[in-house]
Every structure is written in structure tokens, then in C-alpha cells.
């Protein structure tokens, strides 16, 4: 038996920033890369602050140290998410509660270890950031003990066949909505560009600016792309159809249909077309929106994000058919075993399972998420972390290719 004998903590940096969504949505203007104005969400002392993380290293009895990174999402504290990441408070909770429960455990037993260390005696659930980072380290520890890939560990927990095919990768542009699209096209990204349509300026009167943008993106794929290249088009609107046009599902569907008509022949995904302000209304209104889109026969599809945070949320959105695609936003879900469960539930429900996340994550959390997406055969996965395009594609794409190459080599060796 391989045991966890100690744990160490190390400060870490996320790859982007934590942003106060409420303040940005109120109409603040940019001051260079910062924002003018005061924050509105509790915990923020500025509208935009560098994303912080905390690494946890599990020391194993053979001297190896395996790591995971605790981190939160870019828009912390919004739409039912955990509050802004507080590294000092997270570190104290780890030292007092989490680490004592880890020491002495069999490092190969990832499912039992996650269950044991996330259920506190006082009944207060561990913050999602802790569940996220510690589960990464526990998956890595099990892979070390079993001398296999992390994808194989996840497959073993959930009885999945070993993956052999890559997962399509979705890249996000950040505010460089044209320059970064060119990068994506030159690199033949499967799904693009996200677009970061999070303000009235980017959406335009009645959506006119956004419609021009999606036409430009489609045309640019033909100008710069290789022959036959036709990526899926996926835009995140941060609720701006609701803010700029209407919250009525019939009218939202009509606008989404117009968007699809503007780019004929392309698959079109619209993430967060409306934010209805709470979980219950989001599910109910999105279910109506999905039904209307299906009724009118448009190829435009809804991607759920806001208010669809943890595993229970994902299940309820799926049960109500309140999306065509669910973003399983990994830091919000918490334990990566719950991410795997959420992906499986969405797929079993006939709904697309997008293994997502956030620009604010770390290189390590991004790499470990690749193994979960591969093992569970997600519909798509996010190129992360950061907003620079190149880094996310490099980190996620290379990790996926290495894992698949290792699995193919192992399969070939077994046949000899």
C-alpha cells in the first residue's frame, strides 16, 4: 500500500484575473487593462485583481510529491458561486481540517479519499476551491501509485473504457477579439472564439455589433483557414441578449435564430444568452428557450453556465432540458470526481458535456482536467488557462496528445 505521509502548501498564481462581474455589467469603462469605478461584489477591493491560487503537495511514502492547485473562477461571487478566493483562509482550513484527514490514507484509493476529506464533522462543506485542488492531487497520487495515467485512474473509478480519440478543444479570445481569432484559425482550433461579449459596447444596439462580429468570425475562418476548415462557433454573451433585447424566451430564441442565419452552414453555440438572476428561474426560462429553439428548428444552441455550478445544478438543468450543452465549470463543481459525474450525467441525458473551467486557473489544474475530459469522453473541453490563446492550446493540447500517445503505447505493448 502506498500512503500519504504529509502534505505541503505553496502559494501559486492563476493565469488571469478575478473580475467583479456585477461592477463590469453595470457599465464600467476600461482604464487600460484595469476598470474605472468601484467594486460591487463582496470581497473585491478593486474590480479586477490578479487571480491567486494555492498548491497542495501530497508527500507519499516513497518520497514522491504530487500536486494539485486550489483556485477559483474569474467571476467569483457571481451567480451562486463561492466567494472570492482567500488564500490565507484556504491555507488555514487546509492545515486545520483537510490535511489531518489525508495523512495515512492509501494513495491509490482516490474515490474513498475524496469522500473522506471533503465531509467535515461540523457538517460545513469544504469550499469548492479546496475540493478542486485536493482532488487533483489525489488523482495524481493514485496515478503514481498505480503507475498509470490520470485518465486511467478516472476510467477505473467510473468503469469507462480507455479513451482513444481526442476531445475537441474550445479556445477563448479575451478582449483581443480579432487578433486572437486569427491565432485560433491559424492553429486550426476545433471550436472558437468565446468572444467575451460582456458589455453593451460589445453587444451593440439590439445586438448589431455582435451580429457583425459573428459574421466577421465566420468569414475570417474562410479567409485564413485551410481548405475544408469549418470550426464550431461558440460565443459567450454573459446575459446580454437579456440585457440588450429581451428576457422573453420567445424573443431570445428569435434573436438566436437570426444569429444562426447570419452564419449559414456553421454550428452555433450561444453561452449564457440571459441571466435570470437565480437558479430556479434560470432553469425554468432556459427550458422554455430550448423548447422554442427546437420548435422553430434553428441550429443555434444554448450553453448553460450561470447558476449551473455544482453537480446538483448540472443534474437539475439536465433533468429540465434547460440547455443543449452544459458547461461543467470545473472549479465551481469542486471535486474532479464530481466533474466526471456531471459529464456522464449530461451525456446520459442527451445533452452536450463541455468540460470547461476558467481563464483564472493554473497550468497544473488545466492539465489534470484534460485527463477527466478524456476519460469521460466530454463533448468538448476548454483551452485553458489564461486569455492569450497560445498558452491554453499548448497546455491542453499537448497534455491530451501525450496522454493518448501513452495509452496507445501501453495498448501496443499489451498485444506483444
Amino acid at each position: 500500500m502506498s500512503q500519504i505521509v504529509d502534505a505541503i502548501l505553496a502559494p501559486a498564481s492563476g493565469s488571469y484575473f478575478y473580475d467583479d462581474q456585477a461592477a463590469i455589467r453595470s457599465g464600467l469603462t476600461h482604464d487600460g487593462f484595469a476598470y474605472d469605478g468601484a467594486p460591487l461584489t463582496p470581497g473585491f477591493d478593486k474590480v479586477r485583481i490578479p487571480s491567486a491560487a494555492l498548491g497542495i503537495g501530497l508527500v507519499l511514502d516513497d518520497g514522491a510529491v504530487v500536486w494539485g492547485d486550489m483556485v477559483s473562477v474569474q467571476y467569483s461571487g457571481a451567480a451562486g458561486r463561492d466567494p472570492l478566493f482567500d488564500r490565507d483562509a484556504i491555507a488555514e482550513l487546509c492545515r486545520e481540517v483537510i490535511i489531518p484527514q489525508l495523512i495515512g490514507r492509501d494513495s491509490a484509493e482516490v474515490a474513498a479519499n475524496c469522500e473522506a476529506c471533503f465531509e467535515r464533522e461540523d457538517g460545513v462543506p469544504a469550499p469548492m476551491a479546496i475540493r478542486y485542488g485536493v482532488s487533483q492531487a489525489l488523482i495524481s497520487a493514485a496515478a503514481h501509485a498505480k503507475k498509470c495515467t490520470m485518465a486511467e485512474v478516472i476510467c477505473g473509478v467510473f468503469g469507462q473504457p480507455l479513451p482513444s480519440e481526442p476531445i475537441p478543444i474550445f479556445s477563448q479570445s479575451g478582449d483581443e477579439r480579432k487578433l486572437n481569432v486569427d491565432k485560433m484559425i491559424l492553429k486550426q482550433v476545433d471550436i472558437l472564439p468565446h468572444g467575451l461579449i460582456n458589455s453593451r459596447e460589445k453587444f451593440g444596439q439590439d445586438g448589431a455589433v455582435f451580429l457583425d462580429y459573428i459574421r466577421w468570425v465566420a468569414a475570417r475562418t474562410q479567409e485564413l483557414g485551410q481548405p475544408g476548415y469549418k470550426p464550431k462557433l461558440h460565443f459567450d454573451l454573459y446575459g446580454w441578449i437579456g440585457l440588450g433585447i429581451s428576457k422573453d424566451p420567445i424573443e431570445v430564441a428569435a434573436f438566436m435564430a437570426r444569429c444562426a442565419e447570419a452564419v449559414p452552414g456553421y454550428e452555433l453555440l450561444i453561452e449564457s444568452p440571459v441571466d435570470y438572476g437565480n437558479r430556479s428561474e434560470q432553469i425554468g426560462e432556459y427550458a422554455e428557450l430550448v423548447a422554442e429553439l427546437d420548435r422553430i428548428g434553428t441550429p443555434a444552441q444554448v450553453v448553460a453556465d450561470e447558476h449551473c455550478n455544482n453537480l446538483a445544478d448540472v443534474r437539475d438543468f439536465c433533468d429540465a432540458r434547460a440547455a443543449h450543452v452544459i458547461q461543467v465549470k470545473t472549479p465551481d463543481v469542486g471535486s474532479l470526481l464530481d466533474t466526471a459525474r456531471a459529464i456522464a450525467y449530461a451525456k446520459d441525458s442527451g445533452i452536450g458535456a463541455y468540460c470547461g473551467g476558467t481563464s483564472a486557473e493554473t497550468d497544473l489544474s488545466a492539465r489534470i482536467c484534460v485527463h477527466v475530459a478524456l476519460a469521460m469522453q466530454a463533448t468538448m473541453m476548454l483551452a485553458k488557462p489564461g486569455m492569450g490563446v497560445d498558452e491554453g492550446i499548448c497546455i491542453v493540447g499537448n497534455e491530451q496528445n501525450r496522454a493518448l500517445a501513452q495509452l496507445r503505447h501501453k495498448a501496443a505493448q499489451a498485444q506483444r
Side-chain angles (χ1 to χ4, degrees):
M1 181 177 79
S2 173
Q3 280 192 319
I4 300 167
V5 298
D6 205 351
I8 53 180
L9 301 175
S13 297
S15 289
Y16 196 63
F17 290 78
Y18 292 140
D19 286 345
D20 181 346
Q21 187 183 76
I24 294 170
R25 191 176 279 175
S26 72
L28 297 186
T29 58
H30 279 283
D31 174 16
F33 190 70
Y35 282 95
D36 283 323
L40 297 177
T41 300
F44 284 83
D45 57 6
K46 295 181 179 178
V47 174
R48 168 166 280 175
I49 58 178
S51 61
L54 181 68
I56 182 165
L58 304 182
V59 183
L60 308 181
D61 56 7
D62 63 358
V65 181
V66 295
W67 288 89
D69 282 339
M70 295 172 274
V71 67
S72 192
V73 297
Q74 179 183 356
Y75 297 108
S76 296
R81 299 183 179 108
D82 274 8
L84 184 66
F85 186 88
D86 183 332
R87 185 191 285 151
D88 292 338
I90 292 291
E92 182 179 0
L93 187 56
C94 284
R95 292 189 187 99
E96 292 183 358
V97 178
I98 303 297
I99 291 174
Q101 296 182 80
L102 289 168
I103 293 173
R105 302 197 66 85
D106 182 349
S107 60
E109 299 297 326
V110 62
N113 291 342
C114 284
E115 183 176 354
C117 73
F118 298 150
E119 297 303 324
R120 292 171 52 181
E121 291 182 2
D122 58 10
V124 178
M128 290 304 185
I130 287 181
R131 292 168 179 251
Y132 190 42
V134 172
S135 68
Q136 295 166 36
L138 289 171
I139 291 167
S140 184
H144 180 82
K146 296 172 183 287
K147 296 181 172 58
C148 68
T149 64
M150 289 178 280
E152 289 169 275
V153 169
I154 299 297
C155 286
V157 171
F158 294 99
Q160 293 289 109
L162 294 180
S164 59
E165 297 297 325
I167 306 301
I169 294 174
F170 169 41
S171 185
Q172 55 184 349
S173 66
D175 277 322
E176 291 289 345
R177 285 180 301 284
K178 291 196 170 181
L179 179 67
N180 279 344
V181 165
D182 283 1
K183 290 184 180 182
M184 296 172 193
I185 295 168
L186 292 172
K187 294 191 175 188
Q188 300 267 95
V189 170
D190 303 302
I191 306 161
L192 56 86
H194 184 272
L196 197 68
I197 311 300
N198 65 348
S199 69
R200 188 174 301 279
E201 176 188 9
K202 298 171 189 174
F203 188 67
Q205 182 70 31
D206 296 326
V209 173
F210 173 60
L211 279 164
D212 286 344
Y213 179 61
I214 65 174
R215 291 188 190 100
W216 178 86
V217 171
R220 197 64 170 161
T221 65
Q222 300 307 302
E223 293 169 12
L224 284 187
Q226 296 294 321
Y229 175 60
K230 186 164 279 191
K232 289 184 181 180
L233 304 184
H234 181 145
F235 300 90
D236 193 342
L237 296 191
Y238 295 88
W240 268 98
I241 297 178
L243 292 166
I245 296 177
S246 173
K247 290 188 174 183
D248 183 287
I250 306 299
E251 295 183 27
V252 175
F255 179 76
M256 289 179 61
R258 283 183 60 202
C259 293
E261 290 165 3
V263 286
Y266 284 83
E267 292 187 56
L268 179 65
L269 304 176
I270 301 293
E271 185 171 343
S272 297
V274 185
D275 184 346
Y276 287 99
N278 62 69
R279 181 182 186 275
S280 175
E281 285 193 51
Q282 194 82 353
I283 291 173
E285 298 293 330
Y286 268 36
E288 289 190 31
L289 174 57
V290 168
E292 177 63 11
L293 289 167
D294 291 348
R295 186 190 69 79
I296 64 179
T298 176
Q301 296 191 325
V302 176
V303 182
D305 178 4
E306 307 298 271
H307 307 286
C308 186
N309 298 320
N310 57 37
L311 177 58
D313 296 336
V314 170
R315 287 172 172 164
D316 286 349
F317 270 78
C318 289
D319 290 348
R321 190 164 173 75
H324 295 103
V325 177
I326 296 279
Q327 181 181 180
V328 182
K329 200 159 193 168
T330 52
D332 285 335
V333 176
S335 168
L336 281 177
L337 296 190
D338 280 348
T339 285
R341 293 182 181 104
I343 291 170
Y345 199 89
K347 289 176 64 181
D348 289 345
S349 302
I351 291 174
Y354 158 30
C355 187
T358 177
S359 57
E361 292 187 60
T362 73
D363 57 324
L364 180 59
S365 66
R367 288 174 50 229
I368 296 175
C369 284
V370 169
H371 290 262
V372 180
L374 267 175
M376 305 308 293
Q377 285 293 285
T379 309
M380 55 190 276
M381 65 179 171
L382 180 63
K384 60 184 185 180
M387 285 286 196
V389 174
D390 304 295
E391 301 85 352
I393 294 171
C394 174
I395 289 168
V396 168
N398 288 349
E399 186 70 20
Q400 173 162 251
N401 290 339
R402 292 187 196 107
L404 288 171
Q406 193 169 337
L407 291 170
R408 292 187 193 109
H409 177 264
K410 184 177 286 190
Q413 292 291 102
Q415 291 176 353
R416 291 181 182 175

